[in-house]
Amino acid sequence: NVQALLHQHPKSNKGMLSMVDHLKRLCIDHYFQDEIDNIMDSSVDLLHSDDLLDATLSLRLMREVGYYVLADDVLQKFTNDNGDFNLRHSKDLRGLLSLHDMSHLNMGEASLYKANEFSSKHLKFALQYLEPNLARYVMKSLDHPYHVSLRQYKARHHLSYLQNLPTRHTAIEKLALAEFQMKKLQHQSEMQEIKRWWVDLGLSQEIPAARDQVLKWYMWSMTILEGFSFSRYRVEATKVISMVYIVDDIFDLVATQEELCLFNEAIKMWDLAAAESLPSYMISCYKALYTITNDIADMVRKEHGLNPINHLKQAWATLFDGFMIEGKWLSTNQVPTSEDYLRNGVITSGAPLLFMHLLFMLGHDLTDDNNDHILRVISCPAKIMRLWDDMGSAKDELQEG
């Protein structure tokens, strides 16, 4: 039924673009990629619309699918000679919401800084005059903008909004509800599997000082790997994430400097025999880490014909070296430069190591031809994650140093 809606040919692409937006926000767009591509290709003219909603919605959706569109050019007609937005747009609620969403795709453009300021100001002012459901939607949009939030969590919120609109999209709503239910059952099954693995592993009992938050760590995998076909990868990625946290806590809270040096050397050797001289809790951690990594390498070899074990071993060794550098800074009261801190902090976030595992699981290889490109693809989100994580942990972890 939804597919039939997308194959209609209305006089204007306006309604079709709005429908594409709903599908994306409800996380059901993956069923209709061909139809969405066709709609996007035929909606380029809406970028030049005099309607704020049409222009900003098409601008955001075009950028999301990879079109190169200059925001300053599109938004120019809605501003005065000073580049400030015309006040007549301050009453256009849907246009303001769309402008606010668009402003978070800013790549350093002056018009989008002003768009964020203008839309935020007038949406906040409008809250007191809106009926409760709409006011709640606007408040959530301000607090958790679409582009800097997690789609799966925003989807429920968007469905509630659709259900309160005068014109209902019944087929889309039914499909979204069915998708929610299927995903819920699948994620519950994955969480049960991960919980069993974690309990059987026993590291939380053996290392009481370490964090015991495996279901929280699963949320990471759940949000970066969407789709039913990635179930096995979500489970394996959660195991990798769990080991990063355990190793981090061993370095920060448990081990002596001498034990850490031995641990670091053993990881470089990548041999279970090398761990025999370590304390028992480190041996258990080493065995778990070793087994998980080799299991993932075997899976990649069977599914994609690649052998990533050397890259994965090196990624673990790099992470351990990064933790050793942080420990040295702390033990000697050395304050690194911001550049040195961030360079090493990107590594100790664990993100490059996780992305390395993910890329191989998804069938990408590291070659001489693509090595630089892949490493840049990894380092940019890792840097963002490091900075966001630091801002959060400064408030809630209270770790000394």
Side-chain angles (χ1 to χ4, degrees):
N1 288 338
V2 175
Q3 200 162 36
L5 288 173
L6 293 172
H7 282 290
Q8 290 176 358
H9 295 286
K11 294 177 182 176
S12 157
N13 283 314
K14 192 171 180 175
M16 302 303 280
L17 211 56
S18 179
M19 201 177 298
V20 168
D21 188 37
H22 292 321
L23 296 176
K24 282 175 168 283
R25 289 177 184 268
L26 294 169
C27 302
I28 50 177
D29 52 308
H30 57 96
Y31 291 116
F32 312 106
Q33 207 50 61
D34 289 343
E35 290 85 355
I36 288 173
D37 289 344
N38 290 335
I39 291 169
M40 297 308 300
D41 288 343
S42 61
S43 300
V44 177
D45 59 319
L46 286 176
L47 287 167
H48 310 294
S49 171
D50 292 327
D51 182 84
L52 184 62
L53 172 62
D54 292 347
T56 53
L57 179 59
S58 57
L59 174 57
R60 177 170 63 78
L61 293 177
M62 293 289 177
R63 275 206 178 171
E64 284 176 5
V65 297
Y67 282 82
Y68 180 72
V69 189
L70 292 173
D72 292 352
D73 292 349
V74 174
L75 297 177
Q76 189 175 12
K77 65 177 62 134
F78 303 105
T79 61
N80 59 26
D81 294 340
N82 297 322
D84 296 320
F85 281 84
N86 294 317
L87 276 176
R88 70 173 182 274
H89 302 299
S90 64
K91 301 287 192 289
D92 180 358
L93 188 71
R94 292 185 68 199
L96 287 173
L97 282 168
S98 181
L99 182 64
H100 189 259
D101 285 334
M102 180 59 228
S103 72
H104 290 277
L105 285 173
N106 194 344
M107 299 188 294
E109 296 142 298
S111 62
L112 290 182
Y113 288 114
K114 291 193 173 183
N116 184 272
E117 185 182 345
F118 179 80
S119 58
S120 298
K121 175 184 173 182
H122 291 288
L123 286 170
K124 286 174 185 173
F125 180 78
L127 284 172
Q128 58 191 313
Y129 302 109
L130 301 176
E131 59 89 14
N133 284 324
L134 186 54
R136 190 159 44 247
Y137 183 80
V138 171
M139 181 62 78
K140 285 182 181 290
S141 297
L142 288 167
D143 290 344
H144 303 285
Y146 173 67
H147 189 66
V148 288
S149 298
L150 300 169
R151 287 205 321 163
Q152 294 182 69
Y153 299 107
K154 293 282 285 183
R156 272 287 201 206
H157 156 219
H158 192 70
L159 180 62
S160 298
Y161 167 69
L162 288 185
Q163 289 169 333
N164 284 285
L165 288 178
T167 305
R168 299 282 294 274
H169 298 277
T170 310
I172 292 176
E173 290 175 22
K174 283 183 178 178
L175 180 60
L177 284 168
E179 180 86 352
F180 290 158
Q181 190 59 27
M182 287 166 62
K183 282 183 176 177
K184 178 180 174 182
L185 292 171
Q186 184 176 43
H187 291 317
Q188 285 175 341
S189 172
E190 291 166 4
M191 284 191 280
Q192 287 168 356
E193 180 181 350
I194 289 163
K195 186 70 176 174
R196 281 195 301 271
W197 164 80
W198 180 247
V199 170
D200 292 344
L201 197 62
L203 285 178
S204 57
Q205 287 77 38
E206 199 164 351
I207 315 173
R211 279 165 284 191
D212 182 4
Q213 302 174 328
V214 69
L215 294 183
K216 176 181 170 183
W217 302 332
Y218 167 74
M219 305 308 271
W220 220 103
S221 307
M222 182 181 131
T223 51
I224 58 171
L225 284 172
E226 290 186 39
F228 299 105
S229 61
F230 292 146
S231 179
R232 173 49 40 198
Y233 300 161
R234 280 191 290 272
V235 171
E236 296 306 316
T238 305
K239 294 177 183 179
V240 176
I241 293 165
S242 303
M243 296 315 301
V244 171
Y245 276 101
I246 292 296
V247 170
D248 184 29
D249 286 341
I250 286 174
F251 271 83
D252 283 353
L253 306 170
V254 182
T256 66
Q257 196 61 35
E258 183 181 352
E259 289 170 343
L260 292 175
C261 288
L262 293 172
F263 200 18
N264 193 33
E265 288 305 313
I267 281 293
K268 286 179 168 57
M269 295 171 72
W270 202 256
D271 184 348
L272 289 176
E276 289 175 359
S277 61
L278 298 174
S280 61
Y281 73 89
M282 275 189 178
I283 293 174
S284 299
C285 178
Y286 190 103
K287 285 180 177 176
L289 188 158
Y290 181 90
T291 302
I292 291 162
T293 307
N294 283 314
D295 285 350
I296 289 174
D298 288 342
M299 181 175 72
V300 171
R301 191 161 43 245
K302 288 173 185 172
E303 292 188 7
H304 306 295
L306 306 171
N307 184 8
I309 192 62
N310 288 332
H311 291 294
L312 301 184
K313 287 191 301 189
Q314 183 56 49
W316 278 112
T318 301
L319 178 68
F320 272 59
D321 283 341
F323 285 144
M324 291 295 289
I325 290 170
E326 282 186 350
K328 181 183 174 185
W329 287 338
L330 186 56
S331 63
T332 59
N333 290 320
Q334 180 183 344
V335 180
T337 65
S338 57
E339 291 81 7
D340 287 343
Y341 168 75
L342 187 56
R343 190 181 304 112
N344 194 63
V346 165
I347 293 167
T348 58
S349 71
L353 176 132
L354 176 62
F355 291 152
M356 188 73 74
H357 284 75
L358 285 174
L359 286 169
F360 279 114
M361 282 194 276
L362 294 167
H364 297 280
D365 197 3
L366 265 182
T367 65
D368 291 339
D369 291 336
N370 72 10
N371 188 57
D372 289 344
H373 174 65
I374 291 288
L375 293 179
R376 281 200 303 277
V377 168
I378 289 174
S379 68
C380 289
K383 190 178 291 186
I384 294 168
M385 180 180 155
R386 170 83 274 170
L387 293 170
W388 273 107
D389 188 57
D390 283 351
M391 287 192 285
S393 61
K395 296 172 188 170
D396 62 28
E397 284 184 17
L398 298 177
Q399 290 186 355
E400 293 182 7

